[in-house]
Amino acid sequence: MTAGYTGKILRINLTHGSKSIIDTEQYEEFGGGHGIGSAIFWDLCQDKAISGYDPRNVITIMPGPNAGTCIPGGNRMELCGVGTFAYPVEWFTRSNIGGFFSSMLKFAGWDGIVIEGKASKPVWINIIDDKVIIEDATGLWGQLVNTAQAEIWRRVTGRDSFGEWLPLGDKQTTQGPSILCIGPGGENLSRLGTIQSGIGVSSSEGGLGGVWGSKNLKAISVLGTGSIKIADPVALIATRNWANALIGQKPAPVPNGRQVSCAGCFWKCKSRTQSGAYQDGMCLRGFYLTDPLPDGRTASDIYSLYGFNMNELAGVSLTDGVYVDKLYKMGVLGPGKPIDSSPVPFEKFGSAEYAESLCKAMANREGIGADLTEGLMRASAKWGRLEQDLASGLLHKAHWGYSWHWSLPNVEQPFSSMVSEREIVEHIFTSPRNGSILGSPEFMKMPAEKLVDMLSKKVIPYTNDPFMFDYNWQEPDGSNMKQALETGIYSEHKAKFVAWHRHYSRFYIQSVLYCDYICPCWFDPQAENWSGLTPEFETRFFNAVTGKNLSFAEGIEKGRKIWNTDRAIWVLQGRHRNMENLAPFMFTPAGSSVKTIDFRPPPAPGQIESPADDNPEGPPPLLPGAAPQAVYKNGQWASVAQANMYLDKAGVEQWKTHYYKFEGWDVETGWPTRNTLEELGLRKVADTLQKAGKLGKAK
Amino acid sequence: MVNKSPGVKALPLAEGYLLVDSKKCQGCLSCMMVCSMVHEGSICLSLSRIQVMQNILKKWPEDIKIVQCRQCANPLCVKACPTGALYVDTANGNIRVIDEAKCNGCKKCITACPFLPQRIVWNPETGKALKCDLCLNTPYWKEKGGPSGKQACVEICPQQVIKFTRKAPKQQGDGGYDLELSEEIVK
C-alpha cells in the first residue's frame, strides 16, 4: 500500500443496505478525489445519461493523499456524481469541500466512500473506524444542519461535547465525529441543496444535496482513530516549513473570537465568534457580510442552516445578485403580479425575515418557493422570461445556469466553464493577476512583460509561450480582432492555456486536492521576481507523503486523463460542440458587467460603496477595481484595464476549434477520438463511446 | 529546585513546560499531526501527546480546548509506575518521560493522571503508554528536541499558541497552563 493512502474505499448500496470494499490500488493512478471518483463512476454507473435523482446515480466522496496530513490547503475533498443543478442537462459534476471530514475519513481507514441506490426510508451512515452502520434517521430528517449534527454527535459519542477520552474498543479518541449533512433543502430535492459540514463549510455547487435527499441520505458521520503512513516525515515537515516561511500568514486578532482553518492548514481564512454569527464563513459568504442590505450576515447563516446554495441565492437575495429584486421592482413579480411572490415578503427584501421565509418556501415548495428551489434558470423558463433575460443580462448566468463567480475580463474562466459542466469557481485562476490573494497590490504594479515571462515558465509542459497570457480582444469597434485571433483571447495560445488550466485543476486541485486559495501559487511577495511556489509546491508535498517521484508534467498528464474521462461521461450524457455556448449577454457590453475583484481594503459591513444602478432592467452594475491584464500590442507588452471586455461569436467559435484540436477531440463534435483516449490508457472508454456512436472522428 | 509539596516525596521540578492559549487556537490540528509524526513516523490523532478537542458547532470559546502534559511538580504518573518506565529524566531537565522498553502496559500511569482527558496516551498497537517528552526522542525529525531544544508542536503552530517555558506554571487549576500568552509569561 502506498503511503498517504489507506488502501480501501467504502462502497455502500443504500437499496440493499450492503457494504463492501474497493481496493484503492486499482484506481490509485488517478491520484484521489475527483480522479478516483470519475473512474469509479465510469465503472459503476452503467447508464450515465440518468437524472441526478435516479437511484442508479453513483456518488463518490473522496479525499486525496494529502488528507490527514499537515499540508497547507491539503485537507479538502471532492464530491462527484450526476448533479441536479446544471441547465439544461443535469451533467455529471463535482463539488469541493474543506473542513475536517476528509482527514477523519482517512484516520478511520478509508480513502473514500461510494454511495449507490436509494434507502427505503431516511438514514444516516455511522462510520467508526472499520465499523459501518446504516442508521435510522428518525429524529434527524427535517432538522436544520446544526441541530441534526449536534444530535449525531450525541448519538455517536454519548455526550454533547468533549473533555475525556472516548473508548472505542481497544482504541480511544478525544475527538468528536466529523459530519456531512443535508438540510431541509436537500431533503426536499431542491436543486440548490447543499451538503454542509458544521455550519459554514459546504459543498454547494451542482445540487448534490438534492441527490442525497433523493437517496434518503441525511448525513454521514465518521470518527477515526487510525494512522496515516507518511513516506518521508522529515521531508514533509521541511516542505511545510519552507511553504510557511514564504506564504504563511501571521495571526490576526478576532474580536470575541478566533481565526479558524481547515485541518492541517497554516492559513486562517475563517473565523468563529462568541455570537456564532457567520460561523466558519468563507468566500461567497463574504459578499453577504459586506452587503449593504440590513441582514446580509444573518441571511447567510440562515441559508447555511437550511442547506441552500448561497451562490445561487445571491441571485435572489443580494444587491448585486438582483434578478428577482429587479423583477419585483419592474412590477413583474410581487403579490398578485404575473409572477406571484407569495408567500415570500419581497417588500422585506434583504432582511432576515425575508431570508427565513424564502428558505421555508423553497424547502416546502410553497408558492414562488416551488419555482425558486428549481434554480433561477428553470424558474425563469417557467415564467417565460429565460430568453429575453439571458439576452439582456438581467439573468446573469453565462454557462450551464450557474451563477456568476468569476468571469470577464478573465476570459479563461468562461471558456473553461463552457467546456466544463459548471462554473468552475477556481479562485486563483480567475486570472493570473487578479486571482492571487498573495499580496495582490504589489503584483498590480508588476510590469506586463515580466509578468508573462514569469507565468510562462510555470505552465509546464507548455512553457515559454507568453501569449497564453495575452488578453487582446476585439475592442468595442472591432479594430483589434486580428490581434485577438492571432495572440489574444481567441488564439490557439489561449486554447493551450485553458487546456493546461483544466488538466492542472483536475489533478492537483481536485484529485490530489490542494486548496484553490493556495494553488497554483503564481506569486510569492517575498521571492525575487515575485515568483511563486508553483510548480515546486505541488510535487514536493505529494512526493513527501506518498514516496513517489512524480514530476509536475506527469501530474498534468494525469489531469488530462481525468479530464478526458469526464469528457466521455458528458458525451454520453449528450454533450456536443453545438451545446458549448455562452449566454447571449456575454456578446454585448453587458458581458463585462461583473463584480470584479477590488483590492482596496474591505469596507465595514454596511459601508460598501454600491455603484449607481442606472439600468434597472439590465445586468448588475460594474464595481470598480478591475485589475489590468497583460496585452501585447505593437511589439511590446502593456498592462491594460479591460473591465469593459465582451466576446465575439466568431472569435469564440475559432477558440473552440483551437481548443478541441489541442485536446485531440473531433472539432466538429467536440468528442474525444480513439487515438486521444488510447494514448491516455482509456481504451475501454473509447470502446464505450464507439458503441454509443459517439467517438470523435480522427482528422 | 525541588517540589516541596507537603507529604509527598520530593522530586525535582521539570525544567520545561508547554503553555497553550486555547482561546486563540485555530483548530487546524497541525500540532497533533506533527506530534504523532515526529515520534511514530505516521500521523494519528489518537497517538498525539497534545490533544486539541474541537466541536465546530459550538461558539467561541467553547468550541476548542487544548490539553497537554503538565510535567507536574507532583507527577502521580511517575509514582504509579510499577516498573520505573515512567521516570524523571535528570539528564534532560527533569522532564517526566517513558522508557517504552520498560513499560509493561499496566495503564496505572493513565489511571493516576488526575486530569481529564488523561495526558498519558495509550497506544493499542504496541500495548504501551506514551507521553509528551518535549520532543526529546523524535526519530522522524531532524531538529534537536527536549527541554534544551525545540518542540515540534511549538514550531508548527501557525497561530503561535503553543509556547515552551522553563518557568514552572501555577499548578492549581488550568490557568497556569492555558492562558493568554505573552513574551513575559513565556520567559
Side-chain angles (χ1 to χ4, degrees):
Chain A
M1 185 180 68
T2 307
Y5 298 90
T6 67
K8 59 190 204 296
I9 295 165
L10 175 61
R11 181 180 180 184
I12 295 177
N13 187 310
L14 291 174
T15 304
H16 308 304
S18 61
K19 293 156 271 182
S20 57
I21 292 172
I22 298 171
D23 287 339
T24 307
E25 194 177 4
Q26 62 179 300
Y27 292 104
E28 197 181 299
E29 64 167 314
F30 291 91
H34 187 97
I36 290 183
S38 284
I40 288 179
F41 178 88
W42 180 271
D43 287 347
L44 299 187
C45 189
Q46 298 308 312
D47 181 356
K48 295 164 183 67
I50 55 177
S51 162
Y53 297 115
D54 192 303
R56 293 171 294 168
N57 192 4
V58 178
I59 54 174
T60 57
I61 300 150
M62 294 280 162
N66 286 351
T69 77
C70 54
I71 294 176
N75 280 274
R76 298 193 66 84
M77 192 167 64
E78 190 85 347
L79 280 57
C80 295
V82 179
T84 64
F85 184 78
Y87 182 90
V89 176
E90 296 171 353
W91 299 118
F92 170 77
T93 193
R94 53 161 293 274
S95 184
N96 196 261
I97 187 169
F100 297 87
F101 191 95
S102 65
S103 52
M104 194 57 91
L105 189 63
K106 296 280 290 290
F107 292 130
W110 302 101
D111 285 320
I113 304 171
V114 179
I115 306 282
E116 301 164 278
K118 175 184 179 177
S120 58
K121 60 179 182 179
V123 297
W124 64 286
I125 298 169
N126 184 3
I127 304 169
I128 300 176
D129 290 331
D130 55 2
K131 193 172 100 182
V132 179
I133 302 174
I134 300 171
E135 308 261 17
D136 186 340
T138 301
L140 299 174
W141 200 259
Q143 298 291 334
L144 301 182
V145 300
N146 58 342
T147 312
Q149 290 179 77
E151 174 60 19
I152 288 171
W153 180 297
R154 275 190 287 275
R155 292 186 190 185
V156 171
T157 67
R159 58 198 188 197
D160 282 334
S161 194
F162 45 68
E164 294 183 42
W165 288 100
L166 177 71
L168 297 167
D170 64 338
K171 298 175 181 174
Q172 61 178 3
T173 183
T174 65
Q175 306 295 297
S178 290
I179 302 164
L180 297 176
C181 180
I182 62 170
E187 289 175 12
N188 291 294
L189 312 186
S190 173
R191 295 180 193 272
L192 279 61
T194 61
I195 298 158
Q196 306 281 143
S197 192
I199 298 169
V201 176
S202 70
S203 161
S204 293
E205 299 287 37
L208 291 169
V211 175
W212 280 39
S214 74
K215 292 182 177 299
N216 272 329
L217 177 60
K218 175 68 178 178
I220 304 177
S221 165
V222 62
L223 185 56
T225 63
S227 298
I228 297 167
K229 189 181 170 197
I230 303 299
D232 190 342
V234 172
L236 178 55
I237 291 182
T239 307
R240 159 100 175 202
N241 290 340
W242 162 76
N244 189 48
L246 295 169
I247 61 169
Q249 298 170 329
K250 288 183 180 166
V254 175
N256 292 319
R258 69 173 85 248
Q259 296 180 298
V260 292
S261 70
C262 299
C265 192
F266 56 45
W267 278 15
K268 317 138 192 338
C269 53
K270 298 176 280 191
S271 64
R272 213 174 286 154
T273 64
Q274 201 162 23
S275 73
Y278 196 58
Q279 182 104 336
D280 294 6
M282 175 54 180
C283 190
L284 188 75
R285 291 184 84 193
F287 286 105
Y288 289 84
L289 195 66
T290 56
D291 198 77
L293 292 171
D295 293 327
R297 178 189 290 244
T298 310
S300 78
D301 287 336
I302 293 168
Y303 299 150
S304 293
L305 296 179
Y306 276 85
F308 282 119
N309 180 347
M310 220 167 292
N311 198 17
E312 175 71 355
L313 283 176
V316 291
S317 65
L318 275 182
T319 48
D320 65 344
V322 306
Y323 182 58
V324 294
D325 186 44
K326 284 205 168 186
L327 293 178
Y328 176 71
K329 287 172 180 161
M330 288 159 60
V332 174
L333 181 152
K337 300 290 183 185
I339 305 169
D340 192 333
S341 61
S342 63
V344 181
F346 274 77
E347 71 279 9
K348 294 178 180 170
F349 182 82
S351 67
E353 184 184 345
Y354 169 86
E356 183 102 35
S357 168
L358 179 67
C359 285
K360 284 181 177 166
M362 285 177 26
N364 298 328
R365 293 181 177 267
E366 187 183 0
I368 196 172
D371 296 343
L372 295 175
T373 209
E374 292 290 301
L376 286 177
M377 289 290 276
R378 289 175 174 88
S380 184
K382 185 188 170 195
W383 299 335
R385 299 193 56 91
L386 186 60
E387 200 173 327
Q388 71 184 83
D389 291 346
L390 281 179
S392 70
L394 183 69
L395 181 56
H396 217 242
K397 291 172 175 294
H399 18 61
W400 310 123
Y402 278 79
S403 289
W404 197 282
H405 196 85
W406 290 99
S407 195
L408 299 177
N410 315 307
V411 69
E412 60 274 8
Q413 188 82 195
F415 284 1
S416 286
S417 299
M418 178 175 66
V419 297
S420 298
E421 86 295 2
R422 52 165 280 185
E423 223 262 12
I424 57 172
V425 195
E426 290 159 12
H427 296 83
I428 281 179
F429 272 115
T430 53
S431 114
R433 183 174 288 204
N434 258 359
S436 175
I437 55 174
L438 298 174
S440 297
E442 283 80 9
F443 309 127
M444 296 278 285
K445 301 172 198 159
M446 195 170 182
E449 187 166 1
K450 194 174 163 187
L451 175 76
V452 298
D453 180 62
M454 184 190 81
L455 295 173
S456 65
K457 287 184 169 63
K458 292 187 179 294
V459 284
I460 298 168
Y462 312 128
T463 50
N464 301 318
D465 177 2
F467 296 126
M468 289 164 75
F469 305 99
D470 179 23
Y471 290 83
N472 264 296
W473 68 294
Q474 74 277 8
E475 306 287 352
D477 62 0
S479 61
N480 198 42
M481 191 63 183
K482 185 168 181 289
Q483 191 79 42
L485 292 167
E486 287 179 1
T487 67
I489 64 172
Y490 309 121
S491 71
E492 58 189 318
H493 309 280
K494 193 60 71 183
K496 196 197 306 180
F497 179 54
V498 169
W500 182 89
H501 179 180
R502 299 289 78 237
H503 306 161
Y504 173 91
S505 294
R506 272 300 188 265
F507 185 66
Y508 289 113
I509 302 292
Q510 292 144 12
S511 296
V512 180
L513 286 152
Y514 292 107
C515 177
D516 68 342
Y517 266 90
I518 292 183
C519 284
C521 182
W522 299 113
F523 303 105
D524 172 9
Q526 299 182 55
E528 193 180 348
N529 297 327
W530 294 329
S531 180
L533 278 53
T534 292
E536 190 178 354
F537 184 100
E538 292 86 343
T539 51
R540 268 186 73 172
F541 275 119
F542 180 85
N543 291 333
V545 168
T546 62
K548 296 185 178 183
N549 188 28
L550 182 85
S551 71
F552 188 84
E554 286 168 343
I556 296 291
E557 185 68 356
K558 283 175 180 291
R560 189 164 80 93
K561 181 169 185 169
I562 299 163
W563 181 239
N564 273 271
T565 304
D566 286 355
R567 185 76 183 179
I569 296 168
W570 297 329
V571 167
L572 291 171
Q573 289 185 289
R575 185 69 67 93
H576 188 279
R577 174 179 175 140
N578 61 20
M579 299 173 76
E580 295 191 321
N581 298 309
L582 295 163
F585 72 85
M586 294 289 283
F587 300 92
T588 73
S592 59
S593 297
V594 59
K595 181 173 182 174
T596 52
I597 205 163
D598 186 341
F599 294 121
R600 295 172 305 173
Q607 297 299 308
I608 197 167
E609 294 173 38
S610 285
D613 186 357
D614 53 6
N615 183 11
E617 298 190 16
L622 179 69
L623 288 183
Q629 307 281 18
V631 171
Y632 185 74
K633 271 190 181 165
N634 304 320
Q636 53 187 324
W637 289 92
S639 294
V640 180
Q642 296 181 309
N644 58 342
M645 181 193 278
Y646 55 89
L647 300 173
D648 175 84
K649 281 194 174 174
V652 171
E653 288 304 314
Q654 174 173 308
W655 180 87
K656 282 162 65 176
T657 299
H658 285 314
Y659 176 75
Y660 298 145
K661 197 181 283 184
F662 190 84
E663 290 282 15
W665 300 343
D666 185 335
V667 297
E668 299 296 321
T669 59
W671 298 342
T673 64
R674 177 170 287 282
N675 282 350
T676 297
L677 294 171
E678 289 198 353
E679 182 184 277
L680 292 164
L682 295 170
R683 174 172 290 181
K684 66 180 181 185
V685 173
D687 292 345
T688 303
L689 290 187
Q690 186 165 26
K691 203 171 165 185
K694 293 191 169 183
L695 192 59
K697 290 178 185 155
K699 282 184 291 184
Chain B
M1 195 175 180
V2 296
N3 168 32
K4 293 178 181 170
S5 301
V8 177
K9 184 184 172 187
L11 288 171
L13 286 174
E15 294 171 11
Y17 304 85
L18 292 178
L19 306 178
V20 301
D21 182 352
S22 286
K23 289 184 176 175
K24 289 202 177 71
C25 169
Q26 71 181 57
C28 66
L29 312 180
S30 294
C31 55
M32 296 176 71
M33 292 173 176
V34 294
C35 176
S36 54
M37 187 164 69
V38 298
H39 287 95
E40 315 296 333
S42 58
I43 296 179
C44 178
L45 301 184
S46 291
L47 297 185
S48 172
R49 283 81 165 158
I50 186 169
Q51 290 287 321
V52 178
M53 300 172 289
Q54 178 169 206
N55 184 336
I56 61 175
L57 297 166
K58 300 273 185 187
K59 298 172 185 175
W60 179 89
E62 306 303 324
D63 55 331
I64 292 178
K65 176 77 178 167
I66 312 174
V67 296
Q68 75 280 31
C69 173
R70 297 162 61 118
Q71 301 291 344
C72 293
N74 179 23
L76 300 179
C77 57
V78 172
K79 293 172 180 174
C81 180
T83 66
L86 215 170
Y87 67 105
V88 175
D89 187 348
T90 53
N92 289 290
N94 299 326
I95 59 173
R96 290 73 167 113
V97 296
I98 294 174
D99 179 349
E100 275 195 56
K102 288 186 183 172
C103 176
N104 66 0
C106 69
K107 298 188 181 178
K108 286 183 178 170
C109 54
I110 297 175
T111 309
C113 180
F115 303 103
L116 289 176
Q118 290 90 353
R119 313 303 152 88
I120 311 288
V121 177
W122 178 246
N123 185 344
E125 299 292 325
T126 61
K128 294 177 186 292
L130 308 170
K131 80 174 288 298
C132 174
D133 61 356
L134 297 173
C135 288
L136 183 66
N137 181 18
T138 51
Y140 301 95
W141 197 32
K142 278 191 169 173
E143 301 287 346
K144 178 185 179 323
S148 59
K150 294 178 177 177
Q151 297 76 40
C153 57
V154 174
E155 295 297 306
I156 201 86
C157 179
Q159 202 58 234
Q160 298 164 23
V161 295
I162 310 170
K163 299 284 188 186
F164 174 82
T165 183
R166 297 186 179 286
K167 195 163 65 180
K170 180 186 160 194
Q171 294 292 292
Q172 287 74 36
D174 291 335
Y177 287 90
D178 188 349
L179 66 171
E180 187 173 340
L181 295 169
S182 67
E183 285 302 312
E184 198 173 296
I185 288 169
V186 172
K187 280 177 185 170

